[in-house]
Amino acid sequence: MESNQYQAVPALMNMTFGFIKSMSLMCALDLGIADQISSHGQPMTLSQLRSALSLPQSKEPYLRHLMRMLTHFGFIQVQTSDSVVGEVQPIYDLTPMSRLVLNNNEPSLNFVPFVRCHLEDLKDALQKAFLCMGDWLKQEDKDTPFDMANNCTLWEMTSQNSRLNESFNSAMVSTTSIFTDVIIKSGGEIFKGIKSLLDVGGGVGAVAKAIATNFPHVECSVLDLPHVVRGLPNDGIVKFVPGDVFNHIPPTDAVLLKFILHDWSDKACLEILKKCKEAISATENGGKVIIVDAVVGCPLEYEETQLLFDMLMLTVHAGAERDEHEWKSLFTKAGFSSYKIVRTVGYVSIIEVYP
């Protein structure tokens, strides 16, 4: 074996055992590690944490291994301190990542529903989908690996299972709401001259309500599938419209597509964008499509996250995360005149597209 192959072995091992990272996170949530440290009000020693978690004392050495893994991936941070017997022992504290999964967080800062939806409620369906990707690539007859493995689309699965539908909607709220603040803070320019906005695929309306509350001059509506908006109140803040984006988009000044286009193939995205162009007002009346989605490679430090989402979108929806060249190509083919990347936060960008 050549020297560069020896160096490649650890990288291959990391890919092979990558699932252990996710399972360690799930174990941390099941035990409530972050919540216990938060409740304690200050960093905790290993023995304090083991006791607070009501684990047998015999399991303390094994808990240490889990904490070492969680520390390595930035979920927990560790300090060292001399104990009363003079031994150096770790003291565990929260990090920005672990603060995202505290159960007492506001819904807009709580990623527990997102993690549990994918690693618990959708675990079996996703595992089957990824395991059959090779077979899917060899065949013409199935739309996605997810469809092939589960004999239904994700949307069909959620529409037939009310518990899963609730879990999935909660997961979407937890991931999109954290970017609501970014949209609102950028809204002075984004929503200037807009009188009406339609949030396509806006679910329970969390972002639309935030926009309507902060920009009262914007009349906000949400267009989503009937089983998603069924029973949601039209409370005067946001109007909920049951429908299908491929059939009809009601007239509006602006359309918001928040984590929508990455669900779809280029062909389907062109259909959606063309319907958006038909629905929105002229540019001088504020007409635009506002896209909240990843631009792969922008910035480079979050490219791994973007590529992981790219594979998830491919497997579940035959969709894709796109780089700027790919976005520009879609906008041009759909008949739009220009676009602008307004702001990038983390792995997500806000793009304005003009008719």
Side-chain angles (χ1 to χ4, degrees):
M1 183 181 290
E2 297 179 4
S3 60
N4 61 348
Q5 289 180 302
Y6 283 113
Q7 295 169 1
V9 170
L12 182 61
M13 295 291 185
N14 289 347
M15 289 195 72
T16 302
F17 296 120
F19 68 93
I20 295 176
K21 186 192 301 189
S22 299
M23 294 302 99
S24 298
L25 172 61
M26 198 65 208
C27 181
L29 292 190
D30 288 341
L31 292 175
I33 288 174
D35 288 315
Q36 285 295 345
I37 297 175
S38 177
S39 298
H40 189 68
Q42 58 185 358
M44 301 180 75
T45 65
L46 186 65
S47 59
Q48 287 174 329
L49 183 59
R50 191 269 310 160
S51 177
L53 295 173
S54 300
L55 302 180
Q57 189 166 1
S58 62
K59 295 298 174 69
E60 190 168 307
Y62 306 105
L63 177 63
R64 176 179 170 273
H65 290 278
L66 174 62
M67 298 304 291
R68 184 166 61 183
M69 172 68 82
L70 296 173
T71 299
H72 176 75
F73 288 111
F75 186 80
I76 293 294
Q77 60 181 331
V78 64
Q79 307 164 5
T80 56
S81 175
D82 292 336
S83 69
V84 292
V85 294
E87 295 179 352
V88 175
Q89 60 177 336
I91 301 178
Y92 301 104
D93 201 359
L94 300 178
T95 65
M97 188 196 305
S98 51
R99 292 185 187 279
L100 289 173
V101 293
L102 296 176
N103 280 307
N104 62 356
N105 280 352
E106 293 293 326
S108 61
L109 291 175
N110 190 345
F111 265 59
V112 173
F114 176 83
V115 176
R116 288 202 177 277
C117 178
H118 289 85
L119 297 185
E120 194 170 71
D121 299 331
L122 280 172
K123 178 188 68 175
D124 293 340
L126 289 175
Q127 283 181 346
K128 288 193 294 184
F130 275 99
L131 288 173
C132 81
M133 184 181 293
D135 290 336
W136 174 78
L137 285 168
K138 298 172 186 176
Q139 299 183 27
E140 296 266 1
D141 59 337
K142 292 291 183 180
D143 289 335
T144 73
F146 190 96
D147 302 354
M148 182 176 180
N150 297 286
N151 296 313
C152 65
T153 67
L154 174 62
W155 312 127
E156 289 168 343
M157 185 177 286
T158 56
S159 68
Q160 296 162 11
N161 185 326
S162 59
R163 181 185 177 279
L164 180 59
N165 184 53
E166 182 179 351
S167 172
F168 184 79
N169 284 338
S170 296
M172 294 304 99
V173 168
S174 69
T175 53
T176 59
S177 292
I178 199 166
F179 295 105
T180 300
D181 185 56
V182 177
I183 297 172
I184 297 305
K185 287 180 178 177
S186 304
E189 288 300 318
I190 291 177
F191 304 119
K192 186 177 181 180
I194 294 176
K195 295 180 180 178
S196 60
L197 178 139
L198 181 70
D199 186 356
V200 170
V204 298
V207 174
K209 288 179 181 177
I211 294 171
T213 301
N214 285 274
F215 302 94
H217 67 280
V218 182
E219 182 180 311
C220 292
S221 302
V222 170
L223 174 70
D224 216 318
L225 297 171
H227 76 272
V228 175
V229 300
R230 187 179 299 123
L232 295 176
N234 286 314
D235 53 13
I237 301 175
V238 171
K239 180 182 178 182
F240 292 94
V241 181
D244 187 328
V245 66
F246 291 102
N247 294 332
H248 176 66
I249 298 180
T252 181
D253 286 342
V255 168
L256 174 64
L257 297 172
K258 180 184 75 279
F259 302 127
I260 298 298
L261 294 180
H262 70 175
D263 288 345
W264 299 99
S265 66
D266 286 355
K267 180 180 177 182
C269 284
L270 282 175
E271 290 185 50
I272 294 171
L273 287 168
K274 286 177 180 178
K275 288 196 176 294
C276 289
K277 189 171 184 293
E278 293 171 1
I280 62 176
S281 303
T283 304
E284 56 268 23
N285 295 323
K288 67 177 78 172
V289 178
I290 304 164
I291 297 172
V292 181
D293 228 321
V295 178
V296 174
C298 179
L300 276 175
E301 64 185 294
Y302 296 114
E303 189 171 28
E304 181 178 356
T305 305
Q306 294 166 342
L307 295 178
L308 288 170
F309 266 103
D310 186 43
M311 290 303 297
L312 180 64
M313 294 304 107
L314 162 66
T315 304
V316 177
H317 306 296
E321 302 293 356
R322 298 172 172 88
D323 60 28
E324 185 172 356
H325 174 77
E326 291 166 324
W327 280 119
K328 181 179 180 180
S329 177
L330 279 178
F331 302 150
T332 301
K333 290 177 181 177
F336 288 89
S337 63
S338 61
Y339 73 95
K340 178 173 65 175
I341 299 177
V342 179
R343 190 172 180 189
T344 298
V345 177
Y347 67 95
V348 173
S349 295
I350 301 175
I351 311 171
E352 290 187 358
V353 193
Y354 311 105

